[in-house]
PDB file of all heavy atoms in Angstrom:
ATOM      1  N   ALA A 106      -8.076  32.827  12.976  1.00 75.00           N
ATOM      2  CA  ALA A 106      -8.561  31.464  12.758  1.00 75.00           C
ATOM      3  C   ALA A 106      -9.291  31.355  11.421  1.00 75.00           C
ATOM      4  O   ALA A 106      -9.154  30.362  10.696  1.00 75.00           O
ATOM      5  CB  ALA A 106      -9.487  31.045  13.903  1.00 75.00           C
ATOM      6  N   LEU A 107     -10.061  32.395  11.078  1.00 73.00           N
ATOM      7  CA  LEU A 107     -10.795  32.389   9.811  1.00 73.00           C
ATOM      8  C   LEU A 107      -9.828  32.386   8.629  1.00 73.00           C
ATOM      9  O   LEU A 107     -10.058  31.707   7.623  1.00 73.00           O
ATOM     10  CB  LEU A 107     -11.720  33.596   9.743  1.00 73.00           C
ATOM     11  CG  LEU A 107     -12.576  33.728   8.482  1.00 73.00           C
ATOM     12  CD1 LEU A 107     -13.505  32.539   8.346  1.00 73.00           C
ATOM     13  CD2 LEU A 107     -13.387  35.020   8.520  1.00 73.00           C
ATOM     14  N   ALA A 108      -8.743  33.150   8.748  1.00 68.00           N
ATOM     15  CA  ALA A 108      -7.757  33.180   7.668  1.00 68.00           C
ATOM     16  C   ALA A 108      -7.137  31.805   7.446  1.00 68.00           C
ATOM     17  O   ALA A 108      -6.930  31.371   6.303  1.00 68.00           O
ATOM     18  CB  ALA A 108      -6.670  34.207   7.986  1.00 68.00           C
ATOM     19  N   LYS A 109      -6.832  31.093   8.550  1.00 70.00           N
ATOM     20  CA  LYS A 109      -6.270  29.746   8.422  1.00 70.00           C
ATOM     21  C   LYS A 109      -7.273  28.797   7.772  1.00 70.00           C
ATOM     22  O   LYS A 109      -6.913  27.996   6.906  1.00 70.00           O
ATOM     23  CB  LYS A 109      -5.876  29.225   9.805  1.00 70.00           C
ATOM     24  CG  LYS A 109      -4.724  29.977  10.451  1.00 70.00           C
ATOM     25  CD  LYS A 109      -4.418  29.419  11.839  1.00 70.00           C
ATOM     26  CE  LYS A 109      -3.293  30.191  12.508  1.00 70.00           C
ATOM     27  NZ  LYS A 109      -3.008  29.683  13.884  1.00 70.00           N
ATOM     28  N   LEU A 110      -8.533  28.890   8.201  1.00 75.00           N
ATOM     29  CA  LEU A 110      -9.545  27.993   7.661  1.00 75.00           C
ATOM     30  C   LEU A 110      -9.817  28.311   6.194  1.00 75.00           C
ATOM     31  O   LEU A 110      -9.955  27.409   5.359  1.00 75.00           O
ATOM     32  CB  LEU A 110     -10.836  28.124   8.476  1.00 75.00           C
ATOM     33  CG  LEU A 110     -11.983  27.191   8.103  1.00 75.00           C
ATOM     34  CD1 LEU A 110     -11.562  25.734   8.256  1.00 75.00           C
ATOM     35  CD2 LEU A 110     -13.202  27.464   8.986  1.00 75.00           C
ATOM     36  N   ASP A 111      -9.862  29.606   5.861  1.00 75.00           N
ATOM     37  CA  ASP A 111     -10.151  30.018   4.490  1.00 75.00           C
ATOM     38  C   ASP A 111      -9.049  29.549   3.539  1.00 75.00           C
ATOM     39  O   ASP A 111      -9.307  29.217   2.377  1.00 75.00           O
ATOM     40  CB  ASP A 111     -10.291  31.543   4.436  1.00 75.00           C
ATOM     41  CG  ASP A 111     -10.798  32.013   3.090  1.00 75.00           C
ATOM     42  OD1 ASP A 111     -11.999  31.778   2.804  1.00 75.00           O
ATOM     43  OD2 ASP A 111     -10.018  32.605   2.315  1.00 75.00           O
ATOM     44  N   GLN A 112      -7.823  29.475   4.057  1.00 70.00           N
ATOM     45  CA  GLN A 112      -6.696  29.085   3.215  1.00 70.00           C
ATOM     46  C   GLN A 112      -6.786  27.636   2.761  1.00 70.00           C
ATOM     47  O   GLN A 112      -6.357  27.300   1.650  1.00 70.00           O
ATOM     48  CB  GLN A 112      -5.386  29.318   3.976  1.00 70.00           C
ATOM     49  CG  GLN A 112      -4.135  29.013   3.165  1.00 70.00           C
ATOM     50  CD  GLN A 112      -2.881  29.307   3.951  1.00 70.00           C
ATOM     51  OE1 GLN A 112      -2.947  29.646   5.135  1.00 70.00           O
ATOM     52  NE2 GLN A 112      -1.732  29.191   3.316  1.00 70.00           N
ATOM     53  N   VAL A 113      -7.334  26.774   3.604  1.00 71.00           N
ATOM     54  CA  VAL A 113      -7.350  25.343   3.286  1.00 71.00           C
ATOM     55  C   VAL A 113      -8.718  24.846   2.829  1.00 71.00           C
ATOM     56  O   VAL A 113      -8.848  23.685   2.432  1.00 71.00           O
ATOM     57  CB  VAL A 113      -6.896  24.515   4.513  1.00 71.00           C
ATOM     58  CG1 VAL A 113      -5.479  24.875   4.895  1.00 71.00           C
ATOM     59  CG2 VAL A 113      -7.825  24.730   5.696  1.00 71.00           C
ATOM     60  N   MET A 114      -9.736  25.696   2.858  1.00 78.00           N
ATOM     61  CA  MET A 114     -11.062  25.252   2.431  1.00 78.00           C
ATOM     62  C   MET A 114     -11.110  25.055   0.921  1.00 78.00           C
ATOM     63  O   MET A 114     -10.502  25.823   0.169  1.00 78.00           O
ATOM     64  CB  MET A 114     -12.134  26.283   2.829  1.00 78.00           C
ATOM     65  CG  MET A 114     -12.456  26.311   4.305  1.00 78.00           C
ATOM     66  SD  MET A 114     -13.755  27.519   4.703  1.00 78.00           S
ATOM     67  CE  MET A 114     -15.183  26.658   4.017  1.00 78.00           C
ATOM     68  N   PRO A 115     -11.823  24.035   0.457  1.00 81.00           N
ATOM     69  CA  PRO A 115     -12.013  23.866  -0.984  1.00 81.00           C
ATOM     70  C   PRO A 115     -12.720  25.087  -1.570  1.00 81.00           C
ATOM     71  O   PRO A 115     -13.518  25.738  -0.888  1.00 81.00           O
ATOM     72  CB  PRO A 115     -12.897  22.613  -1.083  1.00 81.00           C
ATOM     73  CG  PRO A 115     -12.715  21.909   0.220  1.00 81.00           C
ATOM     74  CD  PRO A 115     -12.479  22.976   1.233  1.00 81.00           C
ATOM     75  N   PRO A 116     -12.437  25.432  -2.818  1.00 82.00           N
ATOM     76  CA  PRO A 116     -13.050  26.628  -3.426  1.00 82.00           C
ATOM     77  C   PRO A 116     -14.566  26.651  -3.341  1.00 82.00           C
ATOM     78  O   PRO A 116     -15.162  27.703  -3.138  1.00 82.00           O
ATOM     79  CB  PRO A 116     -12.559  26.559  -4.879  1.00 82.00           C
ATOM     80  CG  PRO A 116     -11.275  25.782  -4.813  1.00 82.00           C
ATOM     81  CD  PRO A 116     -11.476  24.784  -3.723  1.00 82.00           C
ATOM     82  N   ARG A 117     -15.219  25.492  -3.492  1.00 83.00           N
ATOM     83  CA  ARG A 117     -16.684  25.473  -3.470  1.00 83.00           C
ATOM     84  C   ARG A 117     -17.212  25.882  -2.086  1.00 83.00           C
ATOM     85  O   ARG A 117     -18.209  26.615  -1.982  1.00 83.00           O
ATOM     86  CB  ARG A 117     -17.219  24.091  -3.846  1.00 83.00           C
ATOM     87  CG  ARG A 117     -16.667  22.967  -2.995  1.00 83.00           C
ATOM     88  CD  ARG A 117     -17.085  21.589  -3.485  1.00 83.00           C
ATOM     89  NE  ARG A 117     -16.441  20.534  -2.734  1.00 83.00           N
ATOM     90  CZ  ARG A 117     -16.835  20.128  -1.537  1.00 83.00           C
ATOM     91  NH1 ARG A 117     -17.893  20.680  -0.967  1.00 83.00           N
ATOM     92  NH2 ARG A 117     -16.197  19.162  -0.910  1.00 83.00           N
TER      93      ARG A 117
END
Side-chain angles (χ1 to χ4, degrees):
L107 181 61
K109 293 179 182 178
L110 184 60
D111 189 71
Q112 183 178 5
V113 298
M114 287 181 73
R117 55 187 174 80

